[in-house]
Amino acid sequence: MQAATCLWSGVADVFHALDDPTRRAILDELADRDGQTLFEICGRLTANRGLSLTRQAISQHLAVLEAAGLVHAEKRGRAKFHYFDPTPLAEIARRWPAPRKA
């Protein structure tokens, strides 16, 4: 039962992360061009979507996405690169829709 609870809390984290339009925009930008720094994400959100948020605000959104497993970050030197990870979405897609019973 504990493993099922852990799975469902992860699903809740994914749904919480996707509930915010800014976080969905960040995922869209990473899906379009993976491996971006915070500075690049901020620039693309402003240029492509008209979202002018502070780096701190975007960083907080990225932290929520990372906690849900939708974004992974890799530090190289002084730069931190962010990557979209669709694995949690695939887990949800495997769960639903459930097979129809006859």
Side-chain angles (χ1 to χ4, degrees):
M1 187 70 173
Q2 188 174 6
T5 302
C6 182
L7 171 68
W8 291 115
S9 72
V11 169
D13 291 343
V14 171
F15 283 121
H16 169 70
L18 294 174
D19 188 43
D20 185 276
T22 299
R23 290 193 285 268
R24 290 192 304 270
I26 291 169
L27 289 178
D28 288 340
E29 291 301 328
L30 288 174
D32 185 50
R33 199 180 115 238
D34 224 2
Q36 296 183 59
T37 64
L38 177 60
F39 180 77
E40 291 170 315
I41 293 168
C42 290
R44 288 176 63 95
L45 287 173
T46 300
N48 297 342
R49 300 177 185 275
L51 294 174
S52 56
L53 300 166
T54 65
R55 284 190 306 240
Q56 182 180 3
I58 299 300
S59 183
Q60 290 171 346
H61 283 297
L62 284 166
V64 172
L65 292 167
E66 284 186 65
L70 292 165
V71 169
H72 293 284
E74 176 184 305
K75 197 158 187 179
R76 282 187 251 145
R78 297 175 77 184
K80 186 175 179 183
F81 295 87
H82 300 86
Y83 298 90
F84 171 56
D85 184 352
T87 304
L89 298 174
E91 294 295 324
I92 292 171
R94 272 197 284 279
R95 173 78 173 136
W96 290 291
R100 294 183 183 219
K101 296 181 182 178

